[in-house]
């Protein structure tokens, strides 16, 4: 989705979206224009079945927001309350989660925390104050388990951009990109890239424990647990070569807002001959904006990065994985006056290190309490699916007592230890956290709501308990989350 910055400023936020959102704008203008209090919501979202044309011969039927994929781009203003009507035209109760926002429990969109469901063929009206500013997103928050036609395997994902009170605006244009796969299928064993994280430091004891558990399971004759793979890949709902190219001019600074809307996959992105100046991670400005040749995004991570267009041509911006890119995970970048077949060249190997965007040499604030969390995999233990445990407990909706207790206003450190070889993009609801240590390396100043924890590695994050109510913590890899990798924080 491309929005011309100048046009947006001239037309004003909502009006500029009218081409993308004809139904919504129509609905608003037909509802009592000057009545007060206003009867119409600021935004209306309809959950229902729709067709997504990934390519002319690849049209899929899935659950969408407002009949489109991705869902409409919602632009909010930091601190300015919005009313949102969410209609559910499906036969299944739904949850709409405002990922990355510090909202109350009844709005957040997670039944585990107590958010009411949007009833089947019913609706909910919610009101909340958007924040913090920056790139957020919204998505369904069901636990589909083995049902790959449900939840975030479908098309219920959309971008939120919360305009800050002051926008530095060192760019000419912004382009929103939603990365998403379709047509999932179960497989035994995956082919996910695993060795791109830096530092690569592993914790020996975690590795020994994880490897021993895996060996014992296989020795008992267990197969490897199920993974999910996909056959169709898209950016902004179009397979590579089948959408409008991003049209640019030489010398332009284009700000890409990228959302990994995948249910399960980690994605990479490169644009041959160009560099990404990363200015924000998960929507929050980074202390050290740095140029990198490749971006990596765990499930639900977001990156905002400026690319200076200084290499005229027609290029493929796409995933490093050849299989995924050739099946759609890419978008064409076309310079004015340039023609020809889009070119792709593989970038030199590059490691993704969060700490390069951090504050060098910064003091870390001491926590009031450190919470230890260890993540373990019980191979193929739940009907062939891997069961995941936090401190030896697999989450169950039958037993929803909070595992961790917080005191309002206190500062916490989460020390997370991964006793499995999988990468876990772990997510904390309704709070942002600061990265304080990545695989043994101290850092500060990077504020996120998802962080990738590498195989047999340790990551530490800090946060302040400043948003009372049940708070969900989980791995954002859908299979991990659905099969145990969740826990609740309770406030006392
Ligand atoms: Cu996980």
């Amino acid at each position: 989705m491309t929005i011309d910055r100048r046009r947006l400023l001239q037309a004003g936020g909502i009006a500029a979206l009218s081409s993308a959102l004809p139904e919504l704008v129509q609905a608003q203008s037909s509802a009592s224009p000057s009545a007060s209090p206003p009867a119409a919501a600021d935004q209306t979202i309809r959950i229902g079945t729709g067709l997504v044309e990934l390519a002319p011969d690849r049209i899929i039927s899935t659950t969408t927001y407002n009949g489109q994929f991705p869902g409409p781009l919602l632009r909010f203003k930091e601190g300015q309350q919005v009313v949102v009507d969410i209609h559910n035209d499906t036969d299944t109760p739904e949850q709409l989660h405002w990922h990355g926002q510090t909202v109350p429990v009844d709005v957040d969109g997670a039944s585990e925390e107590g958010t009411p469901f949007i009833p089947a063929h019913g609706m909910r009206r919610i009101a909340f104050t958007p924040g913090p500013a920056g790139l957020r997103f919204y998505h369904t928050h069901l636990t589909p388990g083995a049902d790959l036609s449900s939840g975030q395997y479908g098309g219920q994902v959309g971008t939120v951009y919360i305009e800050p009170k002051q926008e530095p605006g060192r760019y000419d244009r912004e382009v929103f990109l939603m990365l998403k796969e379709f047509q999932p299928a179960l497989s035994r064993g995956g082919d996910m890239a695993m060795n791109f994280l830096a530092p690569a430091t592993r914790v020996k004891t975690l590795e020994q424990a994880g490897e021993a558990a895996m060996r014992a399971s296989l020795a008992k004759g267990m197969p490897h647990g199920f993974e999910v793979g996909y056959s169709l890949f898209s950016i902004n709902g179009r397979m590579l070569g089948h959408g409008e190219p991003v049209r640019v001019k030489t010398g332009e600074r284009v700000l890409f807002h990228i959302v990994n809307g995948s249910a399960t996959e980690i994605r990479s992105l490169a644009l041959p001959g160009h560099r990404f100046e990363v200015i924000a991670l998960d929507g929050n400005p980074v202390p050290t904006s740095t140029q990198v040749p490749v971006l990596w995004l765990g499930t639900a991570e977001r990156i905002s990065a400026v690319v200076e267009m200084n290499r005229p041509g027609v290029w493929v911006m796409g995933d490093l994985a050849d299989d995924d890119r050739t099946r759609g995970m890419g978008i064409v970048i076309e310079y004015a006056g340039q023609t020809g077949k889009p070119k792709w060249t593989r970038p030199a190997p590059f490691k993704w290190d969060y700490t390069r965007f951090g504050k060098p040499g910064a003091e870390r604030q001491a926590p009031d309490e450190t919470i230890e969390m260890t993540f373990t995999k019980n191979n193929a233990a739940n009907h062939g699916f891997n069961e995941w445990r936090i401190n030896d407990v697999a989450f169950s909706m039958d037993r929803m007592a909070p595992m961790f207790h917080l005191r309002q206003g206190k500062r916490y450190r989460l020390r997370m230890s991964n006793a499995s070889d999988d990468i876990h993009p772990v997510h904390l609801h309704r709070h942002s956290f600061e990265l304080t240590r990545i695989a043994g390396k101290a850092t500060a100043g990077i504020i996120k709501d998802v962080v990738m924890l590498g195989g047999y590695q340790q990551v530490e994050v800090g946060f302040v308990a400043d948003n009372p109510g049940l708070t969900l913590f989980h791995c954002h890899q859908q299979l991990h989350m659905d099969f145990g990798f969740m826990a609740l924080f309770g406030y006392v």
Side-chain angles (χ1 to χ4, degrees):
M1 194 177 302
T2 304
I3 295 200
D4 182 276
R5 180 169 158 81
R6 200 166 297 119
R7 215 185 72 209
L8 184 74
L9 292 175
Q10 280 168 354
I14 294 296
L17 289 174
S18 59
S19 58
L21 267 181
E23 320 76 24
L24 171 59
V25 172
Q26 224 171 22
Q28 283 184 329
S29 51
S30 64
S32 56
S34 61
S36 65
D42 300 300
Q43 299 285 356
T44 300
I45 301 290
R46 294 203 88 98
I47 303 165
T49 305
L51 296 177
V52 181
E53 187 179 324
L54 300 169
D57 57 347
R58 292 276 191 280
I59 299 170
I60 57 158
S61 175
T62 186
T63 312
T64 61
Y65 293 129
N66 293 7
Q68 63 179 77
F69 183 84
L73 167 65
L74 304 179
R75 287 189 91 101
F76 298 138
K77 286 189 164 57
E78 184 183 18
Q80 193 171 308
Q81 204 202 47
V82 290
V83 174
V84 181
D85 282 350
I86 311 167
H87 296 265
N88 179 5
D89 298 334
T90 74
D91 300 328
T92 316
E94 268 292 346
Q95 288 284 352
L96 188 152
H97 172 48
W98 299 99
H99 186 116
Q101 295 203 47
T102 50
V103 289
V105 160
D106 69 316
V107 165
D108 189 47
S111 58
E112 296 83 0
E113 297 172 337
T115 316
F117 279 96
I118 308 145
H121 302 286
M123 67 89 69
R124 277 195 82 207
R125 167 169 284 197
I126 56 171
F128 62 97
T129 304
L135 182 62
R136 315 281 152 203
F137 77 122
Y138 60 109
H139 62 82
T140 178
H141 208 282
L142 304 184
T143 47
D147 178 7
L148 303 187
S149 67
S150 163
Q152 213 180 317
Y153 294 110
Q156 288 182 75
V157 186
T159 301
V160 170
Y161 190 76
I162 304 174
E163 293 167 11
K165 285 170 185 147
Q166 258 125 33
E167 175 89 73
R170 290 178 49 247
Y171 58 89
D172 300 304
R173 214 149 60 80
E174 53 186 354
V175 175
F176 288 84
L177 302 179
M178 174 66 72
L179 317 183
K180 184 79 168 73
E181 310 79 6
F182 290 97
Q183 276 191 358
L186 294 178
S187 65
R188 294 280 184 190
D191 56 355
M192 197 101 78
M194 290 309 220
N195 55 356
F196 62 90
L197 289 174
T201 318
R202 290 177 159 196
V203 179
K204 245 242 132 68
T205 49
L206 294 174
E207 188 163 10
Q208 284 161 350
E211 298 292 311
M214 194 67 200
R215 269 197 308 274
S217 172
L218 297 175
K220 278 193 293 185
M222 300 290 276
H224 283 269
F226 285 118
E227 302 288 346
V228 171
Y230 302 87
S231 50
L232 299 174
F233 297 77
S234 70
I235 293 185
N236 290 351
R238 289 290 183 147
M239 293 166 70
L240 173 60
H242 295 288
E244 286 294 300
V246 178
R247 295 191 173 86
V248 301
K249 295 190 191 82
T250 303
E252 247 183 342
R253 286 171 57 82
V254 179
L255 171 56
F256 289 96
H257 289 298
I258 304 152
V259 179
N260 182 352
S262 177
T264 57
E265 300 256 297
I266 295 165
R267 300 256 63 104
S268 56
L269 206 61
L271 176 57
H274 297 73
R275 293 175 79 78
F276 298 95
E277 182 190 343
V278 174
I279 62 169
L281 293 177
D282 292 353
N284 308 305
V286 292
T288 310
S289 59
T290 305
Q291 291 201 351
V292 294
V294 177
L295 304 176
W296 285 92
L297 301 99
T299 314
E301 284 192 300
R302 289 90 65 208
I303 296 178
S304 303
V306 175
V307 177
E308 194 174 316
M309 296 297 169
N310 52 15
R311 197 90 187 267
V314 182
W315 303 99
V316 170
M317 179 154 104
D319 200 292
L320 299 194
D322 293 335
D323 281 353
D324 299 0
R325 193 184 60 257
T326 53
R327 287 183 291 168
M329 191 51 81
I331 190 165
V332 174
I333 308 289
E334 183 184 290
Y335 279 73
Q338 299 288 317
T339 53
K341 199 166 174 284
K343 278 193 282 259
W344 167 261
T345 49
R346 193 178 174 78
F350 177 77
K351 301 277 186 194
W352 184 249
D353 182 350
Y354 290 117
T355 67
R356 80 172 67 220
F357 310 107
K359 221 180 290 177
E363 292 256 315
R364 291 186 296 154
Q365 260 180 293
D368 296 304
E369 193 191 324
T370 296
I371 295 172
E372 300 279 353
M373 301 172 121
T374 300
F375 309 134
T376 47
K377 169 159 85 176
N378 204 349
N379 178 58
N382 188 336
H383 299 90
F385 290 88
N386 299 323
E387 182 191 72
W388 293 93
R389 294 179 171 205
I390 300 176
N391 294 352
D392 222 23
V393 177
F395 184 85
S396 155
M397 280 298 266
D398 309 331
R399 216 169 6 126
M400 288 222 324
M403 180 181 277
F404 305 101
H405 297 277
L406 307 177
R407 280 178 194 284
Q408 196 174 343
K410 296 285 186 200
R411 180 175 294 275
Y412 291 89
R413 174 89 31 94
L414 303 181
R415 185 181 295 138
M416 299 178 278
S417 301
N418 182 4
S420 76
D421 60 355
D422 301 59
I423 295 173
H424 300 294
V426 295
H427 170 48
L428 182 63
H429 279 231
R430 308 193 311 107
H431 297 74
S432 301
F433 51 67
E434 179 183 17
L435 307 189
T436 54
R437 193 174 285 271
I438 301 291
K441 191 172 173 186
T443 186
I446 303 168
I447 310 298
K448 290 178 70 27
D449 50 65
V450 179
V451 62
M452 282 186 279
L453 168 56
Y456 303 127
Q457 294 197 321
Q458 257 179 353
V459 161
E460 292 178 27
V461 303
F463 71 100
V464 176
D466 56 2
N467 196 8
L470 284 176
T471 296
L472 193 61
F473 169 91
H474 64 90
C475 179
H476 221 288
Q477 211 282 20
Q478 191 79 52
L479 276 184
H480 301 182
M481 166 182 168
D482 293 1
F483 291 92
F485 204 140
M486 288 204 273
L488 282 166
F489 287 86
Y491 278 69
V492 288

